[in-house]
């Protein structure tokens, strides 16, 4: 529980630092954290780094990435955001999650050779 609390708190703080203090903005912050997460993915496939270390690296990096993307959706246009209110932002994220689940579910069924009604 402490790990989750600390990583979420530090992730949000790191998001704020990169977006505002470092001057990259929310889009730039999203690119930085996505790039770092991509490096972790590459390390998984192309190195012998322990899986547990890569897992925790990815886990930690998803916190500031999520905070940056959340800020991008809700912050005013003047601050580089889309200025959606929280309800609209939440419903948009919910719709995207449902689409992702449906697409990956169908893809998984296809990969396993399962068909509807079988």
């Amino acid at each position: 529980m402490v790990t989750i609390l600390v990583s979420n708190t530090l992730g949000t703080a790191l998001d704020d630092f990169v977006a505002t203090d470092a001057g990259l903005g929310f889009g730039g912050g999203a690119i930085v954290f996505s790039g770092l997460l991509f490096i972790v993915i590459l390390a998984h496939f192309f190195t012998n780094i322990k899986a547990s270390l890569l897992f925790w690296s990815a886990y930690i990096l998803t916190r500031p990435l999520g905070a940056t993307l959340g800020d991008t959706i809700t912050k005013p246009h003047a601050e580089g955001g889309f200025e959606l209110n929280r309800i609209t932002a939440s419903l948009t994220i919910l719709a995207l999650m449902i689409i992702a689940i449906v697409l990956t579910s169908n893809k998984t069924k296809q990969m396993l050779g399962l068909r509807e009604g079988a």
Side-chain angles (χ1 to χ4, degrees), residues 43-113:
H44 170 72
F45 289 108
F46 298 109
T47 70
N48 291 328
I49 297 173
K50 288 186 175 186
S52 60
L53 179 63
L54 294 174
F55 167 82
W56 284 109
S57 298
Y59 181 87
I60 291 166
L61 287 170
T62 59
R63 301 312 173 240
L65 177 60
T68 301
L69 294 174
D71 285 343
T72 302
I73 293 170
T74 59
K75 293 292 183 182
H77 294 292
E79 295 180 34
F82 293 125
E83 203 168 342
L84 297 179
N85 63 46
R86 294 197 187 272
I87 292 172
T88 305
S90 296
L91 292 174
T92 301
I93 292 169
L94 176 63
L96 291 172
M97 287 173 61
I98 290 171
I99 291 168
I101 290 168
V102 168
L103 290 176
T104 57
S105 174
N106 288 337
K107 189 104 164 159
T108 302
K109 288 177 188 175
Q110 289 173 358
M111 287 187 332
L112 295 174

